[in-house]
Amino acid sequence: MDLRLSTARESAAEREAVDALLGAEDREASNNPGRDLLLPALLAVQSRAGWVSEGALNYICRRLDVAPADAYGVAGFYRMLSLTPRPPAMAYVCEDLVCRLKGSEDLCLELERRLGPPTQPHRPGNSPWQRSACLGQCDRAPAVLVTRAGVDPEQLSMLETNPSQVLTAVEGRSLSPPPGTDRKIPQLDQKALRLLRRVGRVDPSSLSDYCKHGGYRALPHALHLGPEGVLREVATSGLLGRGGAAFPTARKWEAVANAKAKTHYLVCNADESEPGTFKDRVLLEEDPFALVEAMAVSAFATGCEHGYVYIRGEYPLAAERLAIAVAQARANGFLGARILGSEFAFDLEIRQGAGAYICNSLEGYRGEPRTKPPFPVISGLFRKPTVINNVETLANIPDIVLEGGKAFASLGTKDSTGTRLFCLSGCVRRPGLYEVPLGTTLGALLDMAGSVPEGRTLLAVLLGGAAGSFVGPEDLALPLSFEGTRAAGTSLGSGAVMVFDDTVNPKELMLRLAAFFREESCGQCVPCRVGTVRQEEVLQRILRGEKGSRKQEDLALLSEISQAMRDASICGLGQTAASAIQSGLARFGDLPAEGKR
Amino acid sequence: MKPATPSSMIEITLDTIRREVPHQFTLLQACRSAGIEVPTLCFLDGMTPASACRICMVEVEGSRVLVPACSRQVERGMVVRTDSERVRLARRMVMEFLASSVDLSLAPGAQEYVNRYGARPERYGSKDLPAPATVAQPVKVDNDLYVRDLSRCILCYRCVDACGEEAQNTFAISVAGRGFDARIATEFDRPLPDSACVFCGNCIGVCPTGALIFKSEHEMRRDGSWDESRQTQTDTICPYCGVGCALTLHVQDNRIVKATSPQDHTVTGGHLCIKGRFGWQFVQAPEK
């Protein structure tokens, strides 16, 4: 492509960061590295320089043969990239539902007092902090992610944190983890765990420890069963996707296994960004080898030669541990050519996200959804047949292979087989990640987490995250299964279970939900781009309780906005952008103009 | 498109009537061939559908959500409703969303949909309500050939695609920003003359709302002298090179006020280069 670049040049540091990723520039080379390295290259500059300058963008464009306007559009899409100068250290303060309950607004007030108003994403500003959507740390709220750009860039998740810790982090020279709780999961003492059996018990950076605790038994067995054998067991297991859509895993796998077009890709979606969801993070941080093994099994069954793990940019520890696991697996013949001495070859790459709700950025484009059909199993990554599975879905695979699909199907209910991870957060005594058989009642799950604190009563539970819906104290007998929740007009979604007691103001919850969807909309389609803005405006009008009798009209308007977004948006974000708010309006009914705090 | 052989025809049901249509048709093509009108904004014949505006949504039995007619291919046995309550509501809301946030005054097609579907953009804010968010912004005038009035932009992606791989392969503009702040931009919002823009004007040619507009037209509209009732259109062939692009000269008061090319022309597909699009000022130069 004939690139027309401005005269702005990259600095030595920016060039170094890009070259470390792409290799030194060779102007004689006939072909450039792939465009899919655009986001990694932008992230490399961001973490070296703290922002992406015009010179750096030009250099990346030249190296990757991408037009600067195009790359600018991509860079401006992702929240963790900045196109204007930023201080080297930045604190991203979670302002989502649960952190809000645990004092994130007070934290923000104090930071504002000490550091000035927050920087706005993609606007000029030199304040070293900005607000952020859910960071996936709801069991240890309030959470702050601190990044420090430099030769050795650092990222640190600060949990159950306070203003002085955050100030020390952004003003200090390097990031050191503050003393905090090291509680992995509340069910640590339980024997019957499956997905969580190694969490908190093994050294997550040791392959031999993983093997000592049952690791790498499924992969050899899968090689013995053959691809058809594995597919058969997965089909028998009845496993449904755990990312939120509950699609039968075997059907995806079979479609890709049978697809004639080559190459086949396997993508693990580790970009969980649904507020209230942190299950994939725990699995990645505490049992990363299990994912690497599960992906090898999946690739074997579906004929995938190459895999990607698209991991949230907000999960530095998970990315670090997964990288160690991949390297160790590769060094020991569990990834690469001739895996375990067989003909089977598979390798995987880790790609970090940069703060977007949807995972379509692996190819180096804006994180906008594609129109389906064609579905990814036919035309996915690089337009090739692609299996896309969530971390938790894949984590079920080794047991299915080892014990057989039948044994798996005997757990849970008839239509919702196996166990499920639930992310308990908010007003419960023991927040954290819980594993229970599907079909366990909501009440039983809440009891495990110790229910609401002494002297308070349960107000509502937001099931499935921002895309889910509110249920109430009368729903404690609700079986947490796909069919049980569907029958009750709700869904398990991503497994988020956010609990609110009577000290919580539902108005604030709904306004935050509306703001979340406005901020996360990618802007591609009209119903979501404008609908999420209008939803927030009308909701504010209703909840401000302005004089006049407009409320009924506005409620009707909100319901029409909701229907249009659900029916006409391109992707799941827009389609569910009104779900929780509509259920909240129905539940909390006639909200007082000025709610209790 | 080649005429379909009978064996490649499939049966679908459109608004309760069974019809045979070529299997490679989109629902939009199927509807049009059956004489059913489906509204479109971002769709343009000859370009890959962006499926972004969502005005062409129709109801397909068995589908949880509505589907975009412009890009969804027909399937055997599909049962489609193009005018159900759900469809009309979605279309009405799309027009309310657009009309309440974008200046549609130079988009007669969009205005017609506002009326047809009974959209009431005033519901989002009028005299006694807080003003709704809009995309209003100053007009960008940074060259002598065309202006960018992004207050009129509905983000149909046509200009980006025409500048990129659908026609010009220049990639001077892209969608930048995100959500309601998404907008069409050059890198770092540079002025067009400093960007990769080659001033072919194909972005103007495909813009459905007047957000990208000839500077001549913009200025005449501003001073009130633009009057399409006084304009004639003359078809000719571009005199500059041997390609033979069809040109339509729009003439008002014996002056060329803009040049276009027919969308369905086999040579141009509606696209021109800088000379054909803008190289006619000499005809009416005062020093001639």
Side-chain angles (χ1 to χ4, degrees):
Chain A
M1 189 189 297
D2 277 341
L3 293 182
R4 182 169 164 188
L5 302 170
S6 73
T7 53
R9 291 298 302 265
E10 74 282 5
S11 69
E14 289 164 341
R15 169 186 281 262
E16 209 175 273
V18 175
D19 287 355
L21 177 81
L22 303 178
E25 186 174 22
D26 174 6
R27 286 184 188 250
E28 306 301 309
S30 55
N31 48 0
N32 303 72
R35 158 150 198 163
D36 61 299
L37 291 169
L38 178 56
L39 193 51
L42 290 165
L43 281 167
V45 170
Q46 173 77 34
S47 51
R48 176 65 200 261
W51 68 294
V52 180
S53 70
E54 190 169 349
L57 191 90
N58 282 344
Y59 184 59
I60 293 171
C61 287
R62 200 170 81 220
R63 294 298 312 277
L64 298 178
D65 200 28
V66 174
D70 194 354
Y72 178 78
V74 172
F77 187 88
Y78 295 97
R79 291 273 154 72
M80 294 187 76
L81 296 170
S82 174
L83 290 159
T84 58
R86 291 280 190 266
M90 283 295 293
Y92 299 84
V93 183
C94 177
E95 58 165 342
D96 241 314
L97 300 171
V98 172
C99 281
R100 214 162 254 263
L101 297 183
K102 305 285 177 179
S104 68
E105 282 308 303
D106 291 341
L107 179 59
C108 287
L109 276 176
E110 185 60 16
L111 291 180
E112 185 149 356
R113 204 175 65 77
R114 306 282 293 271
L115 301 169
T119 295
Q120 302 295 322
H122 296 300
R123 302 247 156 78
N126 55 9
S127 176
W129 73 286
Q130 71 182 53
R131 289 167 173 267
S132 164
C134 182
L135 293 170
Q137 305 279 5
C138 321
D139 53 336
R140 294 172 291 181
V144 175
L145 175 73
V146 183
T147 62
R148 176 177 288 280
V151 182
D152 294 308
E154 297 174 285
Q155 283 189 305
L156 180 68
S157 300
M158 307 189 70
L159 311 169
E160 292 173 351
T161 192
N162 57 50
S164 66
Q165 285 177 346
V166 177
L167 286 167
T168 307
V170 294
E171 286 166 353
R173 297 210 169 167
S174 70
L175 304 178
S176 51
T181 51
D182 201 26
R183 179 181 66 226
K184 309 289 186 210
I185 46 165
Q187 289 172 302
L188 204 52
D189 309 325
Q190 289 197 18
K191 293 248 177 326
L193 300 180
R194 298 166 60 85
L195 296 161
L196 299 180
R197 66 163 70 91
R198 279 179 294 269
V199 170
R201 297 173 193 217
V202 298
D203 175 357
S205 46
S206 163
L207 174 60
S208 61
D209 209 24
Y210 173 66
C211 291
K212 238 178 266 165
H213 286 81
Y216 278 114
R217 282 179 208 161
L219 182 59
H221 191 58
L223 296 177
H224 167 74
L225 288 175
E228 295 77 19
V230 176
L231 287 172
R232 204 163 42 238
E233 295 306 331
V234 175
T236 310
S237 76
L239 176 65
L240 302 179
R242 305 304 202 221
F247 191 83
T249 304
R251 269 174 56 197
K252 268 189 200 176
W253 285 24
E254 280 156 10
V256 171
N258 295 329
K260 289 198 182 70
K262 299 288 173 200
T263 316
H264 297 181
Y265 289 102
L266 170 64
V267 174
C268 171
N269 185 347
D271 190 37
E272 61 179 355
S273 313
E274 184 69 49
T277 312
F278 49 86
K279 65 195 176 73
D280 297 344
R281 173 181 56 76
V282 173
L283 292 177
L284 290 163
E285 286 177 352
E286 303 301 333
D287 198 12
F289 286 99
L291 179 69
V292 178
E293 180 177 9
M295 286 184 72
V297 173
S298 166
F300 174 68
T302 54
C304 293
E305 293 145 41
H306 202 82
Y308 291 89
V309 182
Y310 186 78
I311 188 168
R312 277 198 85 176
E314 290 86 343
Y315 285 174
L317 183 63
E320 184 188 315
R321 291 193 172 159
L322 185 64
I324 294 171
V326 168
Q328 286 195 25
R330 197 179 286 137
N332 287 279
F334 294 110
L335 285 177
R338 303 189 55 81
I339 289 175
L340 297 174
S342 72
E343 291 298 301
F344 169 53
F346 172 71
D347 211 335
L348 60 86
E349 275 177 62
I350 301 168
R351 288 291 172 85
Q352 255 185 293
Y357 188 91
I358 34 184
C359 155
N360 209 1
S361 24
L362 277 173
E363 289 181 32
Y365 292 91
R366 291 164 57 81
E368 292 173 353
R370 291 178 187 169
T371 298
K372 296 184 228 175
F375 291 95
V377 292
I378 305 294
S379 173
L381 188 62
F382 307 120
R383 313 282 152 173
K384 298 293 185 188
T386 305
V387 176
I388 304 177
N389 281 153
N390 167 263
V391 175
E392 183 189 349
T393 311
L394 286 164
N396 281 294
I397 297 300
D399 276 358
I400 291 174
V401 167
L402 277 175
E403 300 171 0
K406 221 170 175 178
F408 184 89
S410 70
L411 294 162
T413 70
K414 187 173 144 294
D415 294 320
S416 303
T417 54
T419 59
R420 182 83 210 251
L421 299 179
F422 288 102
C423 315
L424 272 285
S425 66
C427 310
V428 285
R429 272 179 275 203
R430 289 184 296 279
L433 188 61
Y434 289 81
E435 178 179 11
V436 292
L438 278 155
T440 303
T441 64
L442 176 63
L445 183 65
L446 293 187
D447 285 345
M448 289 171 80
S451 201
V452 298
E454 192 72 41
R456 305 203 197 152
T457 54
L458 179 65
L459 174 77
V461 175
L462 181 51
L463 208 55
S469 53
F470 286 99
V471 296
E474 73 285 5
D475 297 312
L476 293 178
L478 177 72
L480 298 174
S481 61
F482 297 110
E483 67 280 7
T485 48
R486 197 180 305 124
T490 176
S491 82
L492 297 179
S494 59
V497 180
M498 288 183 268
V499 182
F500 306 105
D501 66 24
D502 57 346
T503 63
V504 177
N505 179 354
K507 251 175 45 167
E508 278 191 22
L509 295 181
M510 288 197 288
L511 286 171
R512 174 57 207 160
L513 285 166
F516 171 82
F517 283 105
R518 174 187 35 81
E519 286 164 7
E520 296 305 313
S521 171
C522 78
Q524 188 182 5
C525 71
V526 174
C528 177
R529 179 178 75 238
V530 188
T532 52
V533 172
R534 295 292 178 254
Q535 168 170 266
E536 188 183 24
E537 288 170 349
V538 178
L539 191 65
Q540 280 172 345
R541 231 151 68 180
I542 294 172
L543 296 184
R544 260 203 311 266
E546 282 174 351
K547 56 192 180 302
S549 59
R550 213 175 271 279
K551 185 169 172 187
Q552 285 316 310
E553 278 172 52
D554 277 345
L555 283 171
L557 176 55
L558 213 45
S559 139
E560 291 189 357
I561 294 172
S562 148
Q563 195 182 331
M565 288 198 289
R566 190 175 59 233
D567 271 351
S569 296
I570 297 178
C571 80
L573 183 111
Q575 288 164 9
T576 58
S579 157
I581 289 169
Q582 286 294 315
S583 84
L585 284 170
R587 168 160 301 278
F588 305 122
D590 221 14
L591 290 158
E594 283 310 317
K596 52 195 166 176
R597 171 71 215 236
Chain B
M1 193 167 285
K2 279 181 282 184
T5 56
S7 65
S8 67
M9 301 292 278
I10 59 169
E11 193 181 85
I12 64 169
T13 307
L14 286 180
D15 292 336
T16 73
I17 297 169
R18 290 185 181 197
R19 295 178 189 274
E20 295 251 300
V21 295
H23 72 100
Q24 76 277 26
F25 263 23
T26 60
L27 282 172
L28 181 63
Q29 288 172 311
C31 288
R32 284 181 174 173
S33 72
I36 297 169
E37 211 211 318
V38 173
T40 57
L41 284 172
C42 67
F43 177 79
L44 185 66
D45 271 317
M47 292 180 77
T48 308
S51 306
C53 74
R54 318 304 274 183
I55 190 73
C56 71
M57 303 306 276
V58 297
E59 197 169 343
V60 171
E61 220 171 82
S63 170
R64 184 176 48 87
V65 291
L66 302 178
V67 307
C70 65
S71 58
R72 175 63 68 89
Q73 208 174 331
V74 295
E75 287 164 40
R76 196 175 301 280
M78 245 183 189
V79 178
V80 185
R81 281 181 205 83
T82 70
D83 199 32
S84 66
E85 194 52 49
R86 270 175 87 191
V87 167
R88 279 199 304 273
L89 180 117
R91 292 179 184 168
R92 172 160 57 83
M93 297 304 283
V94 163
M95 290 321 301
E96 283 191 3
F97 291 159
L98 286 176
S100 63
S101 57
V102 184
D103 177 356
L104 296 177
S105 59
L106 293 187
Q111 285 173 1
E112 203 267 306
Y113 298 151
V114 167
N115 297 330
R116 187 194 302 177
Y117 294 104
R120 292 190 292 132
E122 67 279 6
R123 296 202 285 174
Y124 304 94
S126 52
K127 51 185 186 305
D128 53 343
L129 288 172
T134 70
V135 298
Q137 57 192 289
V139 183
K140 290 184 197 310
V141 185
D142 57 16
N143 68 85
D144 289 334
L145 302 180
Y146 72 100
V147 304
R148 293 176 289 163
D149 187 357
L150 299 183
S151 305
R152 304 181 187 278
C153 176
I154 60 168
L155 280 180
C156 68
Y157 289 66
R158 281 188 193 177
C159 58
V160 174
D161 292 345
C163 184
E165 57 194 21
E166 297 274 334
Q168 192 60 31
N169 279 293
T170 290
F171 302 94
I173 49 173
S174 170
V175 178
R178 175 161 158 184
F180 197 73
D181 295 330
R183 68 204 183 277
I184 307 295
T186 58
E187 65 275 18
F188 294 91
D189 291 311
R190 296 178 147 271
L192 286 168
D194 295 346
S195 78
C197 179
V198 296
F199 295 93
C200 63
N202 289 329
C203 55
I204 316 176
V206 296
C207 179
T209 59
L212 301 168
I213 190 167
F214 284 85
K215 195 167 179 223
S216 50
E217 179 175 349
H218 172 70
E219 284 173 350
M220 288 175 74
R221 285 187 183 277
R222 198 185 47 198
D223 64 26
S225 61
W226 183 266
D227 183 358
E228 283 179 14
S229 70
R230 300 210 318 265
Q231 290 175 12
T232 56
Q233 296 186 9
T234 304
D235 291 335
T236 181
I237 303 290
C238 180
Y240 280 103
C241 78
V243 171
C245 293
L247 271 189
T248 302
L249 299 175
H250 300 244
V251 177
Q252 180 179 329
D253 305 331
N254 209 29
R255 292 177 68 84
I256 301 170
V257 291
K258 72 174 172 184
T260 59
S261 183
Q263 219 81 59
D264 57 358
H265 192 265
T266 50
V267 174
T268 68
H271 303 306
L272 293 168
C273 76
I274 182 171
K275 291 183 271 187
R277 181 82 64 187
F278 297 108
W280 33 262
Q281 276 89 346
F282 72 92
V283 177
Q284 51 220 31
E287 59 271 26
K288 189 173 62 168

